[in-house]
Every structure is written in structure tokens, then in C-alpha cells.
Amino acid sequence: MDYLPLFFRLEGQPVLLVGGGSVALRKATLLTRAGAKVSVVSHEICPELDELLAQYQGEAIIGEYHTALLDGKGLVIAATDDNDLNSRVHFDATERNLPVNVVDSPDLCTFIFPAIVDRSPIVVAISSGGKAPVLARLLRAKLETWIPSSYSHLSSLVGRFRHAVKARFSTTNQRRIFWEEVLQGQIAEKVFAGRHDEAEQMLRAKLDDNTDRHTGEVYLVGAGPGDPELLTFKALRLMQQADIVLYDALVSPKVIDLCRRDADMVFVGKKRDNHAVPQEGINELLVKHAQAGKRVLRLKGGDPFIFGRGGEELQKLKEHNIPFQVVPGITAASACSTYAGIPLTHRNYAQSVRFVTGQLKNRTSDLNFEELVHPNQTIVFYMGLHSLPHLSRELIRHGKSADTPAAIVSRGTRPEQKVLIGTLTDIAEKQEQAQLEAPALIIVGEVVELHDDLAWFGEEVLQEHQADLLPRS
Ligand code: SAH
């Protein structure tokens, strides 16, 4: 370790900053954020820096740097493009044992500025010791996305209750358990949702509660179509704090891999006609585990509120007064159309889009085909692979042109994605030969023509010799 990370208390401390340009401005911004009393010396000071100094009672010294300016300072920073001047500042400061930083010259620094993720009072500092600053910044960007911005509020809340919790629990172990429950449970979730007062009330109630009974919570989370990078930050965060995960067949293995390692994983189905656990059973499981105090993740393919029966599961939870939250996911229509280069709407082709289920009840469907065949409208069929002959026949019978383009997108967004293009007349027959696998989405409408131009991902099933696949570069 070339540098020991330390956090300096700069509140009220005099700091000398040599230089008045944009680099000096960046340093001054950080220093004032930490409450330092900043003196800037330079022949020229840029207006923003001047303004900042005025705002934070800093000092602007227009003129030449000289050694006496170091008197009484606790920290020195040189941010000029004059190498000789930078070296002089370094020399003078080290002679007086003052910590000094010369921007972009690690050799002249006795301390360095780390890349910072600021969720004050939580601050994360990352440094490569001046060797790979870009890498440190990339790592910072990762952490920025991973640490919710409301961590500031959360840590302030903890700070306010620290003494009360210490007074209430005598052992460190009890306190640790208490805080872990707060920080990974409903109270933290309230803070993340911006409901600070409710969070505080719940924390008070938890402190006063003498029982050991805790209700859990259910997270109904959309896992998206398969590509794990299409998850939301919120989905990922909840996936990593759940105690138990109930997941569907539609959730891709790569997404499942991202759940907390020591969570209990329960597969509840359902592939077509093969429900590992019937819907009523799933509802009961959710209630049972939440009542036992667990954080239950209900992970569903795509979006939980689009052909996902998410609504029914929540109604059941509501009946039992179990707290829940819902996280939207990218639904198959959106994901498959984008990954197949088929915009669902387009000024010249379609001004509206319908999402419908192609599932048949007793070999027929309740769909209102009169409405579906409206011109300038894209139709997306979920769960339509098995009823494709029926759907295309009915669309034609109700007046849709027989040569309306249609596409099947199988396993959209996954490495095995395949797209088959045809028309209402021949798409079912082509699928009969190509045998694309579920899950598959059917898109009907003129917009499908754009696929020729805009396809960019996965493989195309050739139309003439259906057995061939055309890899996309
Ligand atoms: N809630 C899900 C839909 C569940 S219904 C969502 O919002 O996406 C199941 C149907 O979704 C499947 O029959 C298929 O039509 C479609 N589907 C889901 N994921 C898919 C994928 N990766 N590729 C193609 N179709 C998919």
C-alpha cells in the first residue's frame, strides 16, 4: 500500500490553493464541501472560482505565490500548469512538513485526492495511488450506481438513533442484529422511497417493541426478458437482500445467479401447462414466508404487471396486511422488439400498439379481432406460439391483409435469440418448420418490415431454407 487512506477533518482549516483555473476550481469545490477555509493565489482567478470563494468566505489573492502564504496553513495544493512553480510549492511545503498535493504529479504529492462516492456522512474513497486514475474513476462510477443516493438519509437516521439504541441494548451483538434488521428491511426501504417521517416512526416503534415478532416484506420484482443487464438497480438491490426467492420459469439463469448467494431459492414454475406450484399455492407461500418475518423476493419474467398475475399476488398480500413493493421490469414486447430491430410504433407505419394474450381457452380466444385489425396498429401477442395458426387465420378473416408482415422473436435478448419473419399467410407454416422455442413473442404489423434495416442482435432464421441460420455480425 503506497498511500494510507485517511479522512481529514478540514472544517475551519486554512488551506492554500495555488492556481486559479478550472482544475483549481474542482479542488476548491471539494475543499469547501468539507468546510475548509480556502485561500487561492494566482495571477488570474476564473469567475466561477471567484464566486465560490465569495460564497464560502474564502480568500482570493491576485498575484505571485510566495512562501509566507504557507504560514498558518494546514494543507497545500498546487494546481497550475507551471511546472517550476508547482515544484517550488512542493519544496516549500515539504520543508515545513505541510501535506502537499500537486495536481497530476504523483511524485510531488505527499497526499493524493481519491475518486469519491459521496453519500455523506458515508463517503467512499478509491485510489490507484496515482497509477491508474481512469480505472479508479470507472470503479467509482460502478459504485455510484450500486449505492442508492438515499444512503445519505439512511446514515443520518442511524446517526440520530445511535445513542438511543445503545441505551436500549447492552451488548454489541444485540445492537448489530437490530441495525441489520433496520438497514436491510422495511425501514431502509421507506427511506429509499423518500418517506423519511414514516421511517423514523417505524424505527421508534421498533425500539419500543419488546416482542421478537417481525413481519417480513414481499418484493414483487420484474426480472426483465433475460439479459441481466436489463435489470433495474432497484431490482438488483432487492435481489441481493432477500432471504428467500420464489422465481418463475421465465426468469433467466443469469438473472437468478445475481440473487443473494445464501438466499433460499424456490422454483415455482410455470412453463406452459406445467405449473410447479399452482397460483394459489404461490400466493400462500408468499404470505407464509412474509409472516415468518422473511424478506421474500417474488421474481417474475418481464414486468410483473403485464401478463404476470402480479396483481393477484398483491391482492392476497393486502388481505393479510403484508407490506410489499413492486419493481417494474422490461416487458417482453419492449425487449423483443428492440432486440429484433422492430420499433413498435413508427410515424409511417403504426401510431398505436396493442399487447394481447394469445392463450386460448377451450381452443378459442376471447379476443376482439374487430378491434385488433385496425390499420396503423401493431399487435403484440404474448403466449401466442401455440395458437399462431388460429390467430393469423382470425386476423385475416376479420379483414387484416393476408400479406401483413409478422415476426416471431424467440428467447428475446438472450444469446440464443432467433427471429423468424413472414406474413400472416405463411408465418404459422414457417414456424411449423423452424420450430422456434418458447418463450416467444409474435409481432404483427407493418413495422415488422423495418427489421430488414434495423436488425442488430442475435440470429435470423432464413425464410427460403428454414433450417439455415444467418449469424449477425
Ligand atoms: N410478465 C412477462 C410476460 C409473461 S407471459 C413480461 O412482461 O414479459 C409469458 C410470455 O411472455 C411468453 O409466452 C412470451 O410470449 C413472452 N416472453 C417473455 N419473455 C420472453 C422472451 N425473452 N422472449 C420472447 N418472448 C418472451
Side-chain angles (χ1 to χ4, degrees):
M1 188 159 55
D2 292 335
Y3 296 84
L4 178 69
L6 299 167
F7 289 82
F8 260 76
R9 180 160 197 93
L10 284 184
E11 184 71 44
Q13 289 294 318
V15 174
L16 182 69
L17 179 57
V18 186
S22 56
V23 181
L25 172 66
R26 280 205 296 277
K27 299 297 176 210
T29 307
L30 278 174
L31 293 165
T32 49
R33 247 206 260 171
K37 262 177 61 192
V38 182
S39 301
V40 172
V41 57
S42 177
H43 285 294
E44 242 178 284
I45 294 181
C46 70
E48 294 96 324
L49 180 52
D50 214 25
E51 227 170 82
L52 187 79
L53 292 172
Q55 191 184 346
Y56 289 96
Q57 288 83 46
E59 185 186 18
I61 308 163
I62 307 286
E64 192 85 13
Y65 158 82
H66 53 97
T67 348
L69 289 173
L70 297 175
D71 291 345
K73 300 293 188 299
L75 209 68
V76 186
I77 293 140
T80 80
D81 48 14
D82 176 343
N83 289 340
D84 291 340
L85 176 56
N86 286 346
S87 301
R88 246 183 73 206
V89 175
H90 164 81
F91 178 80
D92 293 346
T94 43
E95 205 172 44
R96 293 166 177 234
N97 269 332
L98 272 175
V100 60
N101 175 279
V102 177
V103 175
D104 286 339
S105 306
D107 293 346
L108 299 181
C109 293
T110 63
F111 74 93
I112 49 179
F113 280 88
I116 292 173
V117 181
D118 187 2
R119 301 285 186 273
S120 290
I122 299 273
V123 177
V124 184
I126 307 143
S127 156
S128 65
K131 295 200 174 63
V134 177
L135 198 60
R137 251 175 270 143
L138 288 177
L139 189 57
R140 194 204 109 192
K142 279 187 194 244
L143 291 174
E144 285 281 5
T145 58
W146 184 65
I147 305 174
S149 54
S150 23
Y151 259 48
S152 290
H153 294 292
L154 190 59
S155 31
S156 307
L157 181 72
V158 172
R160 285 202 298 284
F161 278 80
R162 243 188 78 194
H163 292 299
V165 172
K166 215 167 173 175
R168 165 85 162 71
F169 300 105
S170 52
T171 71
T172 40
N173 203 34
Q174 285 171 318
R175 295 199 284 268
R176 181 183 57 77
I177 291 169
F178 179 87
W179 282 125
E180 278 179 3
E181 283 173 6
V182 169
L183 296 175
Q184 298 181 325
Q186 283 174 61
I187 297 177
E189 293 303 321
K190 286 283 179 213
V191 174
F192 296 151
R195 312 188 77 101
H196 305 299
D197 291 346
E198 276 176 55
E200 188 148 346
Q201 274 167 23
M202 284 170 79
L203 189 45
R204 265 182 225 293
K206 188 173 168 66
L207 258 181
D208 293 341
D209 185 8
N210 286 318
T211 63
D212 261 348
R213 181 190 46 83
H214 316 286
T215 333
E217 188 177 9
V218 173
Y219 315 134
L220 176 59
V221 172
D227 179 350
E229 285 199 82
L230 295 177
L231 283 169
T232 59
F233 295 144
K234 191 161 191 171
L236 190 60
R237 184 172 61 73
L238 295 175
M239 283 161 66
Q240 303 218 324
Q241 74 175 28
D243 300 308
I244 177 164
V245 180
L246 275 61
Y247 64 98
D248 279 354
L250 266 185
V251 181
S252 82
K254 281 191 186 154
V255 169
I256 292 169
D257 270 355
L258 296 173
C259 289
R260 198 173 129 211
R261 289 269 165 253
D262 46 2
D264 290 333
M265 303 298 294
V266 183
F267 175 68
V268 291
K270 29 189 157 159
K271 285 210 172 90
R272 204 176 106 86
D273 302 332
N274 176 19
H275 296 219
V277 181
Q279 186 64 50
E280 198 39 47
I282 297 174
N283 298 352
E284 277 164 21
L285 278 176
L286 292 174
V287 171
K288 184 182 99 179
H289 289 297
Q291 281 175 339
K294 295 201 173 141
R295 292 161 299 183
V296 187
L297 179 77
R298 175 69 176 112
L299 196 55
K300 279 178 171 288
D303 182 279
F305 278 3
I306 294 187
F307 303 123
R309 304 189 74 170
E312 293 166 47
E313 294 178 12
L314 295 187
Q315 281 167 324
K316 193 79 190 169
L317 297 174
K318 187 88 194 172
E319 268 172 39
H320 289 82
N321 256 332
I322 290 167
F324 60 78
Q325 47 181 314
V326 193
V327 182
I330 294 185
T331 190
S334 183
C336 294
S337 60
T338 49
Y339 273 57
I342 303 174
L344 291 179
T345 66
H346 186 287
R347 239 155 43 112
N348 304 338
Y349 299 96
Q351 280 71 49
S352 68
V353 53
R354 304 281 297 250
F355 294 178
V356 286
T357 168
Q359 210 166 34
L360 303 182
K361 278 187 211 148
N362 308 322
R363 302 234 185 107
T364 174
S365 64
D366 306 333
L367 290 173
N368 184 339
F369 282 98
E370 272 92 29
E371 273 186 13
L372 289 186
V373 297
H374 276 316
N376 307 109
Q377 172 170 271
T378 307
I379 318 165
V380 179
F381 289 104
Y382 286 72
M383 299 170 277
L385 203 55
H386 292 265
S387 49
L388 184 55
H390 168 84
L391 297 172
S392 34
R393 213 172 34 241
E394 287 301 304
L395 286 173
I396 295 173
R397 199 165 71 83
H398 284 81
K400 199 88 186 157
S401 160
D403 54 15
T404 308
I408 301 178
V409 184
S410 152
R411 308 205 161 171
T413 81
R414 305 187 189 196
E416 325 84 71
Q417 172 177 307
K418 290 194 178 86
V419 179
L420 178 67
I421 302 285
T423 64
L424 280 182
T425 314
D426 62 13
I427 191 78
E429 196 184 312
K430 284 185 168 181
Q431 164 61 6
E432 187 60 31
Q433 298 199 33
Q435 293 289 323
L436 296 197
E437 290 179 47
L441 195 83
I442 298 155
I443 305 174
V444 177
E446 313 300 332
V447 288
V448 170
E449 282 174 17
L450 290 160
H451 167 81
D452 258 359
D453 259 359
L454 304 182
W456 61 276
F457 179 86
E459 287 172 2
E460 169 90 44
V461 180
L462 281 186
Q463 298 179 21
E464 301 305 324
H465 309 284
Q466 277 95 357
D468 298 334
L469 288 176
L470 179 68
R472 209 166 287 296
S473 54

